[in-house]
C-alpha cells in the first residue's frame, strides 16, 4: 500500500519505518527541513532502538522517503496517517494547532485528487475530536464528503518510547475506529500480517480507549507510589509488597514499580485532558484528579528524603549529582521528565547540580539552564566529591557504578535511589548511606 505519514516524530517515524519494513511504500512528511534531510540520508533524527538500522536499510531501497511537501505525499498515497504532536495547553487540554494545520493540508490535497483515500488520525486527542474537529476541517478544505469521497478513522498508538519499534510491530491489540466499513477495511489492510487482536469500533470509542488506557496506567503507578510512601514510614519494603500484589493475575506486576512519578509526552497530558473532559461533561472524576495531584508531589519525595539525610538539612552550596535526566531509560525524550522539578527545586535552594545521562543531555539543555547546573557525561566523574546523589532515571549503564565508587568518590556517600535500581544491602555493606523509595528502615 502507498502510505503518507504526516509528522515524523517518535510515533510518525516509527510507524513509517515499520510499515515500510512490511513492504509498503512510505512517504514521511514533516515541517522541519533538518528532519526531512536526515531521514533521506538514512539517519533517524531521534533516538529509538532499531530505528537507525531500519532507515539505513529502507531509504536506499526507496521504500521510505521524506518530504516537506504534504500535497505531493497525499496525492501519491492511499492511506494518510496523521501523527503530529498534540501537546497539552494550559496543563489541561490538548493543543490542536499542529493537528488542525496538518489536517487542513491533507484536505487541500484531497481537493485536487479524484481517488478515494483514507485519512487516519494517530495523534492522541480527546474523545470526539475525529468526528467533531477533523471531519469538518477535511470536508471544508477538500469540498468533499467523508464516507462518500474519502474515508476517515482513528487508530491509536500504544507504543512505548525506548522500545517503540518492537512495540509497534508486536502490539497487544490494534484498535481501528472508522467512520464506516470501507474506512475500517482499508485501515485493516496494513495490519493484515500483524499477529495481534484487532478491535473495530467507532472513532470516539477508539479515542476513549487510548486516553483511558494511559490514564489507568498512570493511576496504577500513582497508587503504588502512594503506598510506597506509606511503607517507608511503617517499615516494610514496597518491592516485596508489589511482588506479593503482582502475583495475583487480576492485578499483575506491570506498572507496579514505585518511584518518583510518571512523566513523558503522554501520561501527563492524556490524564489531564481526560480529567478536563470529565468536568466538561458534568461528571468530574475524583480518581483522575487525585492521580494528577499525587504525581505532582512524588518527584519531591526525593528532595524530602535527601533533606532529612543531610546533617544540616540545607542544600546550599552542596554538590548534588542527578543520575538520569530523560523521562525514562532508553530515550532522549525530556518532555515532562521528573528530573526537571527535582533539579529546579534544588537549584532554587542554592544547590550545585551535576547531572548526567547517557543520551538526553543535549535535549535537557533545552529544558534546564542555570549557572549552578553542570552537565557531565561520565557518571563516575560526576560523583567525585559530591555531597549526595539522586538516581532519577534507571539507565542500565548506571549498574557500572559499584558501591565502592559511591563510597570512595563522594564526600558523603548519600544515595537516594528514586527507582529502586541498586541493591540496598550491597550499598550499605560498602558504607553508602542508602535510601530507596518505599524502603522502610
Ligand atoms: P513529536 O513531537 O515527537 O513529533 C511530531 C512531529 O510532527 C514533529 O516532527 C513535527 O515537526 C511534526 N509536525 C508538526 N506539524 C506538522 C505539520 N503541519 N505537518 C507535518 N509535520 C508536522 O510527537 P510524538 O511523540 O511522535 O507524538 C505524536 C502523537 O502521538 C501525539 O499526539 C502523542 O500524544 C501520540 N503518541 C505518542 C507516543 C509517544 O510515546 N511519543 C505514544 C503514543 C501516542
Amino acid at each position: 500500500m502507498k502510505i503518507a505519514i504526516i509528522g515524523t516524530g517518535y510515533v510518525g517515524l516509527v510507524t513509517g519505518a515499520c510499515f515500510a519494513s512490511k513492504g509498503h511504500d512510505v512517504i514521511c512528511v514533516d515541517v522541519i527541513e533538518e528532519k526531512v534531510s536526515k531521514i533521506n540520508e538514512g539517519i533517524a533524527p531521534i533516538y529509538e532502538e532499531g530505528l537507525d538500522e531500519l532507515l539505513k536499510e529502507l531509504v536506499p531501497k526507496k521504500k521510505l522517503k521524506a518530504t516537506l511537501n504534504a500535497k505531493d505525499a497525499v496525492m501519491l498515497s492511499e492511506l494518510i496517517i496523521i501523527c503530529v504532536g498534540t501537546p497539552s495547553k494550559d496543563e489541561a487540554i490538548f493543543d490542536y494547532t499542529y493537528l488542525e494545520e496538518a489536517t487542513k493540508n491533507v484536505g487541500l490535497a484531497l481537493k485536487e485528487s479524484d481517488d478515494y483515500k483514507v485519512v487516519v488520525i494517530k495523534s492522541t486527542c480527546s474523545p470526539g475530536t475525529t468526528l467533531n474537529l477533523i471531519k469538518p476541517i477535511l470536508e471544508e478544505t477538500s469540498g468533499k464528503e467523508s464516507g462518500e469521497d474519502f474515508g476517515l478513522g482513528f487508530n491509536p498508538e500504544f507504543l512505548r518510547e525506548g522500545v517503540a519499534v518492537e512495540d509497534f510491530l508486536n502490539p497487544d491489540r490494534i484498535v481501528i475506529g472508522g467512520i464506516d466499513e470501507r474506512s475500517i477495511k482499508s485501515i485493516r489492510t496494513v495490519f493484515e500480517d500483524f499477529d495481534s487482536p484487532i478491535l473495530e469500533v467507532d472513532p470516539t470509542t477508539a479515542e476513549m480507549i487510548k486516553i483511558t488506557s494511559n490514564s489507568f496506567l498512570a493511576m496504577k503507578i500513582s497508587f503504588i507510589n502512594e503506598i510506597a510512601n506509606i511503607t517507608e514510614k511503617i517499615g516494610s519494603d514496597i518491592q516485596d509488597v508489589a511482588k506479593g500484589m503482582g502475583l495475583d493475575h487480576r492485578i499483575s506486576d506491570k506498572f507496579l514499580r514505585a518511584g518518583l512519578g510518571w512523566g513523558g509526552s503522554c501520561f501527563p497530558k492524556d490524564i489531564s485532558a481526560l480529567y478536563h473532559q470529565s468536568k466538561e461533561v458534568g461528571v468530574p472524576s475524583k480518581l483522575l484528579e487525585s492521580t494528577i495531584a499525587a504525581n505532582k508531589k512524588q518527584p519531591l519525595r526525593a528532595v524530602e528524603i535527601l533533606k532529612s539525610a543531610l546533617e544540616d538539612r540545607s542544600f546550599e552550596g552542596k554538590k548534588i549529582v542527578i543520575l538520569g535526566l530523560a523521562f525514562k531509560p532508553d530515550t532522549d525524550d525530556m518532555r515532562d521528565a521528573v528530573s526537571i522539578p527535582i533539579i529546579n527545586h534544588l537549584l532554587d535552594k542554592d544547590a550545585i547540580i551535576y547531572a548526567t545521562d547517557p543520551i538526553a543531555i543535549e535535549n535537557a539543555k533545552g529544558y534546564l539552564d542555570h549557572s549552578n547546573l553542570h552537565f557531565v557525561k561520565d557518571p563516575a566523574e560526576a560523583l567525585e566529591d559530591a555531597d549526595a546523589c539522586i538516581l532519577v532515571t534507571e539507565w542500565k549503564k548506571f549498574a557500572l557504578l559499584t558501591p565502592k565508587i559511591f563510597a570512595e568518590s563522594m564526600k558523603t556517600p548519600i544515595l537516594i535511589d528514586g527507582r529502586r535500581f541498586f541493591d540496598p544491602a550491597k550499598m550499605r555493606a560498602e558504607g553508602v548511606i542508602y535510601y530507596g523509595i518505599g524502603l522502610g528502615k
Side-chain angles (χ1 to χ4, degrees), residues 352-369:
I352 299 158
I353 304 295
Y354 283 70
T356 182
D357 190 286
I359 56 171
I361 287 180
E362 270 324 296
N363 278 352
K365 288 178 183 166
Y367 292 81
L368 292 155
D369 182 25

Side-chain angles (χ1 to χ4, degrees), residues 7 9-11 30 32 35 83 86 124 157 161 266 269 335:
Y10 290 86
V11 168
D30 210 285
I32 300 174
K35 280 196 178 187
C83 305
T86 46
T124 304
E157 184 49 61
E161 283 178 28
C266 293
K269 72 181 172 97
R335 289 177 284 187

Side-chain angles (χ1 to χ4, degrees), residues 4 6 74 77-82 106 110 117-121:
I6 317 291
V74 174
S77 304
E78 300 154 85
L79 198 68
I80 299 111
I81 309 179
I82 302 185
V106 172
L110 288 179
K117 298 174 190 293
V118 177
V119 182
V120 183
I121 309 300

Side-chain angles (χ1 to χ4, degrees), residues 35-81:
K35 280 196 178 187
V36 168
S37 318
K38 270 198 157 174
I39 295 169
N40 284 331
E41 285 165 33
I43 302 165
I46 47 157
Y47 175 78
E48 198 53 66
E49 202 174 312
L51 190 57
D52 251 335
E53 287 79 355
L54 280 181
L55 294 198
K56 267 193 196 88
E57 182 200 330
L58 297 162
V59 173
K61 281 189 189 163
K62 304 209 180 327
K63 294 305 286 179
L64 179 93
K65 61 182 173 188
T67 175
L68 290 164
N69 193 325
K71 189 174 154 196
D72 284 357
V74 174
M75 295 296 275
L76 287 168
S77 304
E78 300 154 85
L79 198 68
I80 299 111
I81 309 179

Side-chain angles (χ1 to χ4, degrees), residues 6-12 29-32 35 46 83-86 94 98 101-102 105 122-125 157-161 210 214 265-266 269-270 333 335:
I6 317 291
T8 56
Y10 290 86
V11 168
V29 182
D30 210 285
V31 286
I32 300 174
K35 280 196 178 187
I46 47 157
C83 305
V84 297
T86 46
F94 291 115
Y98 305 121
E101 182 62 25
N105 292 338
K122 229 184 208 315
S123 303
T124 304
C125 43
E157 184 49 61
F158 300 101
L159 61 77
R160 294 163 300 164
E161 283 178 28
K210 168 65 197 172
N214 273 357
S265 68
C266 293
K269 72 181 172 97
D270 293 3
D333 201 340
R335 289 177 284 187

Side-chain angles (χ1 to χ4, degrees), residues 26-208:
V26 176
I27 309 181
C28 291
V29 182
D30 210 285
V31 286
I32 300 174
E33 204 172 341
E34 199 191 332
K35 280 196 178 187
V36 168
S37 318
K38 270 198 157 174
I39 295 169
N40 284 331
E41 285 165 33
I43 302 165
I46 47 157
Y47 175 78
E48 198 53 66
E49 202 174 312
L51 190 57
D52 251 335
E53 287 79 355
L54 280 181
L55 294 198
K56 267 193 196 88
E57 182 200 330
L58 297 162
V59 173
K61 281 189 189 163
K62 304 209 180 327
K63 294 305 286 179
L64 179 93
K65 61 182 173 188
T67 175
L68 290 164
N69 193 325
K71 189 174 154 196
D72 284 357
V74 174
M75 295 296 275
L76 287 168
S77 304
E78 300 154 85
L79 198 68
I80 299 111
I81 309 179
I82 302 185
C83 305
V84 297
T86 46
S88 63
K89 195 166 151 184
D90 308 326
E91 285 197 13
I93 47 172
F94 291 115
D95 180 349
Y96 294 133
T97 312
Y98 305 121
L99 186 57
E100 285 175 1
E101 182 62 25
T103 306
K104 272 182 205 156
N105 292 338
V106 172
L108 291 171
L110 288 179
K111 191 178 186 174
E112 311 278 312
S113 167
D114 295 328
D115 302 326
Y116 174 89
K117 298 174 190 293
V118 177
V119 182
V120 183
I121 309 300
K122 229 184 208 315
S123 303
T124 304
C125 43
S126 290
T129 306
T130 302
L131 293 183
N132 302 326
L133 179 73
I134 305 299
K135 189 170 129 189
I137 295 177
L138 285 174
E139 291 186 337
E140 196 180 311
T141 47
S142 67
K144 296 186 171 180
E145 204 183 319
S146 61
E148 198 59 44
D149 306 311
F150 65 90
L152 177 62
F154 182 82
N155 166 230
E157 184 49 61
F158 300 101
L159 61 77
R160 294 163 300 164
E161 283 178 28
V163 281
V165 171
E166 167 71 18
D167 275 0
F168 186 91
L169 292 170
N170 304 290
D172 287 341
R173 75 301 207 189
I174 293 159
V175 177
I176 303 175
I179 56 162
D180 55 13
E181 268 309 309
R182 197 175 173 195
S183 305
I184 290 178
K185 203 171 154 209
S186 180
I187 302 168
R188 224 188 144 103
T189 316
V190 284
F191 291 111
E192 242 155 30
D193 60 347
F194 281 63
D195 190 18
S196 310
I198 296 183
L199 187 66
E200 295 175 2
V201 290
D202 61 81
T204 305
T205 305
E207 290 161 335
M208 193 68 180

